[in-house]
Amino acid sequence: MRYILFFVFLLVGNQTRVYSQHVLSGTITNEKNQPLAGSHIHAGTFFATTAVDGRYIINGIPQGNIPVTIEYLGYKTLDTIIAIQNDRVLDISLKPDVSQLSEVVLKKTVSEKNAATQELKANVLENYSSESLGDALKEISGISSLKTGSTIVKPIINGLHSSRVLIINNNVRLEDQQWGTEHAPNMDVNTAGKISVIKGASGLQYGGDAIGGTVIVEPAHIPVKDTIFGKTIINGATNGRGGSISSSLSKGYENGWNWNLQGTFKYFGDFEAPDYVLSNTGNREKNFSGNLGYKGENQGYSFFYSYFNADIGILRSSHISGMSDLIRAINSGQPQVIRDFTYDINAPRQELQHHLGKINYYTFFSDASKLSLQYSFQFNNRKEFDLRRGDDRNKAAVDLDLMTHSFTADFETNSSEKVKYKAGISAAYQNNAANTGDTQVRALIPNYNKFDAGAYAIASYQANDNLALEAGFRYDFSHIDAKKYYLKSRWTERGYDRDFSDIIIGEDGQQWYTNPVFTYHNFSGSLGAKYQLNEKLTWFSNIGIASRNPNPAELFSDGLHHATGQIELGDLRLKREVALKMSTALHYAGEGFAFEINPYFNTISDFKILIPTTIILSNRGPFPVWEYRQVDARMFGIDLTADYDFAKNLNWHSTAAFVYGEDATNDKPLIDMPPLNLNNTISFKKENWNHLVLGIKNETVFTQQRYPNNDFYVDVTDSGEPVSTLVKISRPPKGYSLLHFNSEMSFDVLKKSKMTIGFNIQNLLNTNYRDYLNRTRYYADELGRNFRIQVKLNY
């Protein structure tokens, strides 16, 4: 079947027709009518950058309504739709966006004159339509992935992940039990029209605890005009023998009203490594979102709702019933369970549902000041199914309901042309309910109520035409009130009888019933600068401080985490983290060549880590024990991006990232630091061949040589006698180098529609490898070769 798909693509790709093609040109300037050299213009699938005089020209644009995006770092992005009937001139004056100066913001900051490279980056969301947000974000240098198997992926920014990375979905902070290493963001990447990443603690508007960074997911822009447009994306893949379909429709009116509807369905069976089936790794998704809004001259409002539903299989080999089998799996790496391919999803697995609703209102005042008010509601249900027997086989072992209400108010104003201010307040109430009556299992995460409140202020100053400065400050208050049962033996073992006897409020047989209460006061701040050295060279610098409280898992975990197949132990003594990060970036954009270099240094006091300590044999079988500890940490690294048009129609795009993490308390490497990685892509594009794009990508990940040795010995019974056996749980797998192929062609269909057919091959050489940052690396290899065909219809 895979070869049939390949030849179908080749057959379609060789068709040739003549279509109406036009030229889009113009000049991009700032508010002072000065040219903005290096501005990025995206017109549908076409791309250009402005020359020194701010001029650009794009050839070969088909007739019809074309979405246009114009970007320049430090200025507000313009999104619109224009009608192309003939050659057209589009001159635009961009307005400054002071919020971007608080940190290095990666929104396609490196010049991508060649449209093939841009196709890979600008259309990254569509290319990852059947995958996840974490997969898509890997296209940005400095971002890695923490994975559990092949489908649970969450982003790592400069070595930091989970609660240290904020996900902002349509201006709402995503709350979805993000503390877990195997808890991927509960959102559909197909709802995003644009994604930006703030590396570091400088997204003060969104929270003061973004020690790693902030991922901002924005919906597609709907212009204020009478227009209707949409797209449908269909994916089919051989690995997993499934695919996805996603479709959206947007409507704008000249009177200011607009609406959007979007839905996605994914269906995959077991994925496969090069040599065997990864049993019980299928996944399903059924997602929906809708938006209704009004944009008036002086005010506007919007209503948004999204529903995310996923059923995810967990690698069967990661849950093993015998001590010797578990140790053999970890030490040998050979899966203990290999079965024939199936679409069935059995335990262990996850069932996830996430509802997000918001109401937003904004108004402008006579002096161009703006006030924005927003209320949002989120409900997240997480169920984790373990291997259970008898009447409990269909019962979830973990069943958590997380409800979050939040309110924000933001005010922006200008005291002069050079000075701008932004300030805001926020409040949130959160309730977590562990449904132990249904699971009949002690809760890993207990019932709790949490209240948060915060306030921030940001000021920016345009010192001159070349230098802009910004300073920000934020205060956050947090109060958490929990109710939790502890086994008396575990309570004494961890020394809680000495330190926390005052929180015991009841007794139930062999358990203490406790009421832990914590209150935190946190301060965050940021200083940033942008300096335009010349027309091609820009320098950014930032220093920021952030504080992050211990999350519920770090404080309260006390038992088997069924989705990971490991026992996790929190610590009520954990303190908040305080991080100080310094970063700088040098960005060059010239004719045919661009690069960005971004070194940084991050020091974090009371940094929380999760480390393996032993194996315990429970009534469910043997499981590794992982404990939360606290150390002082230092991290420094560098992110690199380069782009070069080295010949006509040929482009080279490269990214590299390196992180050096040190446990300063114990003078040893930090656990789970991303190894050095390099990505190089050679692309060919021929616009008059139906916009043909061909690309070959090399992804190289080196062996992580710096890791803490947390290996340990356990006794394994052999012939009736205990034998001390070393469990090699720390040692990273070997590095690897992969090849990927991608191709794409576009065709005009009907009057105002365009169809794009893409064909790619992931892991072209079917390489066997394991990823250090995959939690199931102890048990199985990563995915083997995957042929994928994608059909996109824009209308």
Side-chain angles (χ1 to χ4, degrees), residues 376-638:
S376 66
F377 168 79
Q378 296 179 74
F379 178 78
N380 183 269
N381 174 249
R382 164 172 285 273
K383 292 181 180 178
E384 299 179 3
F385 294 82
D386 196 8
L387 298 170
R388 307 179 75 177
R389 297 177 176 84
D391 295 337
D392 294 334
R393 68 171 58 245
N394 294 319
K395 289 183 179 179
V398 173
D399 188 348
L400 300 174
D401 290 337
L402 185 69
M403 179 181 64
T404 307
H405 299 269
S406 61
F407 170 80
T408 60
D410 300 290
F411 180 74
E412 301 176 67
T413 189
N414 303 341
S415 63
S416 67
E417 289 187 1
K418 292 188 174 183
V419 182
K420 298 177 175 61
Y421 301 99
K422 187 170 186 177
I425 58 173
S426 62
Y429 168 76
Q430 188 173 85
N431 171 261
N432 184 74
N435 301 314
T436 55
D438 296 332
T439 64
Q440 298 298 304
V441 176
R442 287 195 318 120
L444 177 69
I445 303 298
N447 296 336
Y448 67 82
N449 292 309
K450 185 168 175 277
F451 175 74
D452 298 313
Y456 75 92
I458 301 171
S460 65
Y461 174 62
Q462 188 73 38
N464 52 50
D465 291 342
N466 298 322
L467 177 63
L469 304 171
E470 182 184 86
F473 174 82
R474 183 179 178 100
Y475 164 75
D476 286 288
F477 167 84
S478 184
H479 178 82
I480 185 169
D481 187 333
K483 300 289 177 63
K484 178 172 174 59
Y485 285 97
Y486 281 94
L487 289 173
K488 291 181 178 179
S489 58
R490 183 68 57 77
W491 182 265
T492 303
E493 171 191 296
R494 301 192 67 76
Y496 290 164
D497 53 338
R498 299 188 305 270
D499 299 333
F500 298 102
S501 58
D502 58 321
I503 68 173
I504 297 175
I505 58 174
E507 184 178 3
D508 183 6
Q510 297 302 310
Q511 298 183 106
W512 293 120
Y513 187 46
T514 66
N515 180 204
V517 178
F518 298 94
T519 299
Y520 304 94
H521 301 272
N522 295 332
F523 298 90
S524 307
S526 176
L527 293 172
K530 170 192 172 184
Y531 187 72
Q532 192 76 37
L533 297 169
N534 55 47
E535 293 178 343
K536 298 180 180 180
L537 202 57
T538 309
W539 173 68
F540 299 87
S541 185
N542 173 267
I543 181 170
I545 186 170
S547 301
R548 185 185 74 88
N549 304 325
N551 62 41
E554 295 163 339
L555 288 171
F556 305 126
S557 289
D558 178 38
L560 180 60
H561 191 175
H562 297 267
T564 59
Q566 63 191 33
I567 293 172
E568 296 178 8
L569 300 177
D571 194 334
L572 295 175
R573 305 177 186 88
L574 294 178
K575 303 174 184 178
R576 67 181 178 184
E577 296 175 349
V578 179
L580 176 66
K581 183 175 183 180
M582 294 171 284
S583 66
T584 188
L586 189 64
H587 171 63
Y588 173 86
E591 289 295 327
F593 177 69
F595 74 85
E596 183 170 276
I597 179 170
N598 174 205
Y600 58 88
F601 176 75
N602 200 358
T603 176
I604 308 174
S605 61
D606 296 315
F607 181 70
K608 287 171 277 293
I609 57 176
L610 184 63
I611 63 172
T613 57
T614 187
I615 291 178
I616 290 180
L617 183 61
S618 70
N619 58 5
R620 258 283 294 112
F623 292 98
V625 177
W626 293 67
E627 293 190 32
Y628 285 99
R629 304 279 178 83
Q630 208 155 27
V631 299
D632 290 336
R634 293 190 297 262
M635 301 179 192
F636 64 85
I638 187 169

Side-chain angles (χ1 to χ4, degrees), residues 652-688:
W652 167 70
H653 181 75
S654 180
T655 64
F658 171 73
V659 182
Y660 183 98
E662 185 75 10
D663 174 353
T665 300
N666 300 298
D667 193 26
K668 63 181 182 180
L670 280 174
I671 192 171
D672 290 340
M673 288 292 103
L676 171 66
N677 62 85
L678 306 173
N679 293 280
N680 289 279
T681 302
I682 301 293
S683 299
F684 170 83
K685 179 174 181 180
K686 191 72 171 179
E687 292 185 3
N688 57 2

Side-chain angles (χ1 to χ4, degrees), residues 28-43:
I28 309 301
T29 60
N30 61 15
E31 74 282 8
K32 297 180 181 179
N33 203 33
Q34 298 168 328
L36 294 178
S39 298
H40 296 213
I41 300 93
H42 306 266

Side-chain angles (χ1 to χ4, degrees), residues 102 281 312 325 371 419 574 645 694 706:
S102 61
T281 55
I312 304 172
D325 288 339
L371 174 66
V419 182
L574 294 178
D645 297 335
L694 299 173
R706 302 191 70 259

